[in-house]
mmCIF file of all heavy atoms in Angstrom:
data_model
loop_
_atom_site.group_PDB
_atom_site.id
_atom_site.type_symbol
_atom_site.label_atom_id
_atom_site.label_comp_id
_atom_site.label_asym_id
_atom_site.label_seq_id
_atom_site.Cartn_x
_atom_site.Cartn_y
_atom_site.Cartn_z
ATOM 1 N N GLY A 35 -4.106 7.676 -4.023
ATOM 2 C CA GLY A 35 -4.734 9.012 -3.907
ATOM 3 C C GLY A 35 -4.771 9.845 -5.158
ATOM 4 O O GLY A 35 -4.748 11.069 -5.079
ATOM 5 N N SER A 36 -4.856 9.197 -6.320
ATOM 6 C CA SER A 36 -4.900 10.021 -7.562
ATOM 7 C C SER A 36 -6.194 10.816 -7.659
ATOM 8 O O SER A 36 -6.201 11.945 -8.155
ATOM 9 C CB SER A 36 -4.655 9.160 -8.805
ATOM 10 O OG SER A 36 -5.780 8.379 -9.085
ATOM 11 N N ASN A 37 -7.308 10.261 -7.205
ATOM 12 C CA ASN A 37 -8.543 11.053 -7.191
ATOM 13 C C ASN A 37 -8.467 12.210 -6.191
ATOM 14 O O ASN A 37 -8.985 13.302 -6.485
ATOM 15 C CB ASN A 37 -9.750 10.126 -6.857
ATOM 16 C CG ASN A 37 -10.259 9.426 -8.100
ATOM 17 O OD1 ASN A 37 -10.817 10.022 -8.998
ATOM 18 N ND2 ASN A 37 -10.021 8.137 -8.141
ATOM 19 N N MET A 38 -7.814 11.947 -5.071
ATOM 20 C CA MET A 38 -7.613 13.036 -4.105
ATOM 21 C C MET A 38 -6.846 14.186 -4.751
ATOM 22 O O MET A 38 -7.221 15.355 -4.591
ATOM 23 C CB MET A 38 -6.828 12.464 -2.899
ATOM 24 C CG MET A 38 -6.405 13.518 -1.913
ATOM 25 S SD MET A 38 -4.902 12.957 -1.069
ATOM 26 C CE MET A 38 -3.676 13.229 -2.357
ATOM 27 N N VAL A 39 -5.754 13.814 -5.459
ATOM 28 C CA VAL A 39 -4.961 14.899 -6.139
ATOM 29 C C VAL A 39 -5.795 15.642 -7.144
ATOM 30 O O VAL A 39 -5.745 16.879 -7.245
ATOM 31 C CB VAL A 39 -3.671 14.277 -6.778
ATOM 32 C CG1 VAL A 39 -2.996 15.305 -7.676
ATOM 33 C CG2 VAL A 39 -2.739 13.788 -5.717
ATOM 34 N N ALA A 40 -6.665 14.890 -7.887
ATOM 35 C CA ALA A 40 -7.550 15.588 -8.867
ATOM 36 C C ALA A 40 -8.469 16.572 -8.145
ATOM 37 O O ALA A 40 -8.692 17.685 -8.633
ATOM 38 C CB ALA A 40 -8.336 14.546 -9.652
ATOM 39 N N LEU A 41 -8.972 16.170 -6.995
ATOM 40 C CA LEU A 41 -9.846 17.111 -6.221
ATOM 41 C C LEU A 41 -9.078 18.301 -5.723
ATOM 42 O O LEU A 41 -9.536 19.428 -5.800
ATOM 43 C CB LEU A 41 -10.514 16.324 -5.042
ATOM 44 C CG LEU A 41 -11.501 15.238 -5.400
ATOM 45 C CD1 LEU A 41 -11.911 14.463 -4.138
ATOM 46 C CD2 LEU A 41 -12.733 15.819 -6.096
ATOM 47 N N LEU A 42 -7.846 18.021 -5.198
ATOM 48 C CA LEU A 42 -7.072 19.143 -4.667
ATOM 49 C C LEU A 42 -6.710 20.138 -5.795
ATOM 50 O O LEU A 42 -6.797 21.369 -5.604
ATOM 51 C CB LEU A 42 -5.742 18.629 -4.017
ATOM 52 C CG LEU A 42 -5.916 17.759 -2.772
ATOM 53 C CD1 LEU A 42 -4.535 17.348 -2.234
ATOM 54 C CD2 LEU A 42 -6.675 18.489 -1.660
ATOM 55 N N LYS A 43 -6.324 19.602 -6.937
ATOM 56 C CA LYS A 43 -5.958 20.503 -8.058
ATOM 57 C C LYS A 43 -7.175 21.347 -8.488
ATOM 58 O O LYS A 43 -7.040 22.541 -8.771
ATOM 59 C CB LYS A 43 -5.515 19.690 -9.246
ATOM 60 C CG LYS A 43 -4.079 19.146 -9.137
ATOM 61 C CD LYS A 43 -3.681 18.466 -10.432
ATOM 62 C CE LYS A 43 -2.229 17.979 -10.351
ATOM 63 N NZ LYS A 43 -1.952 17.047 -11.444
ATOM 64 N N ALA A 44 -8.350 20.703 -8.535
ATOM 65 C CA ALA A 44 -9.555 21.453 -8.940
ATOM 66 C C ALA A 44 -9.842 22.562 -7.924
ATOM 67 O O ALA A 44 -10.260 23.677 -8.307
ATOM 68 C CB ALA A 44 -10.729 20.515 -9.108
ATOM 69 N N MET A 45 -9.624 22.293 -6.624
ATOM 70 C CA MET A 45 -9.869 23.319 -5.602
ATOM 71 C C MET A 45 -8.826 24.439 -5.778
ATOM 72 O O MET A 45 -9.165 25.629 -5.683
ATOM 73 C CB MET A 45 -9.811 22.751 -4.215
ATOM 74 C CG MET A 45 -10.968 21.827 -3.895
ATOM 75 S SD MET A 45 -10.963 21.219 -2.188
ATOM 76 C CE MET A 45 -10.820 19.482 -2.439
ATOM 77 N N GLU A 46 -7.550 24.054 -5.981
ATOM 78 C CA GLU A 46 -6.469 25.045 -6.172
ATOM 79 C C GLU A 46 -6.779 25.962 -7.364
ATOM 80 O O GLU A 46 -6.517 27.166 -7.312
ATOM 81 C CB GLU A 46 -5.135 24.362 -6.428
ATOM 82 C CG GLU A 46 -4.494 23.769 -5.183
ATOM 83 C CD GLU A 46 -3.375 22.761 -5.537
ATOM 84 O OE1 GLU A 46 -2.866 22.762 -6.696
ATOM 85 O OE2 GLU A 46 -3.011 21.955 -4.634
ATOM 86 N N ARG A 47 -7.302 25.364 -8.416
ATOM 87 C CA ARG A 47 -7.593 26.144 -9.646
ATOM 88 C C ARG A 47 -8.842 26.989 -9.497
ATOM 89 O O ARG A 47 -9.203 27.723 -10.438
ATOM 90 C CB ARG A 47 -7.757 25.217 -10.861
ATOM 91 C CG ARG A 47 -6.446 24.619 -11.330
ATOM 92 C CD ARG A 47 -6.626 23.985 -12.709
ATOM 93 N NE ARG A 47 -7.533 22.831 -12.703
ATOM 94 C CZ ARG A 47 -7.141 21.548 -12.762
ATOM 95 N NH1 ARG A 47 -5.879 21.261 -12.867
ATOM 96 N NH2 ARG A 47 -8.057 20.602 -12.731
ATOM 97 N N GLY A 48 -9.565 26.810 -8.406
ATOM 98 C CA GLY A 48 -10.800 27.575 -8.195
ATOM 99 C C GLY A 48 -11.966 27.014 -8.944
ATOM 100 O O GLY A 48 -13.037 27.634 -9.029
#
Side-chain angles (χ1 to χ4, degrees):
S36 72
N37 276 291
M38 172 209 74
V39 170
L41 293 173
L42 295 180
K43 283 185 177 167
M45 290 185 242
E46 283 165 17
R47 287 194 295 255

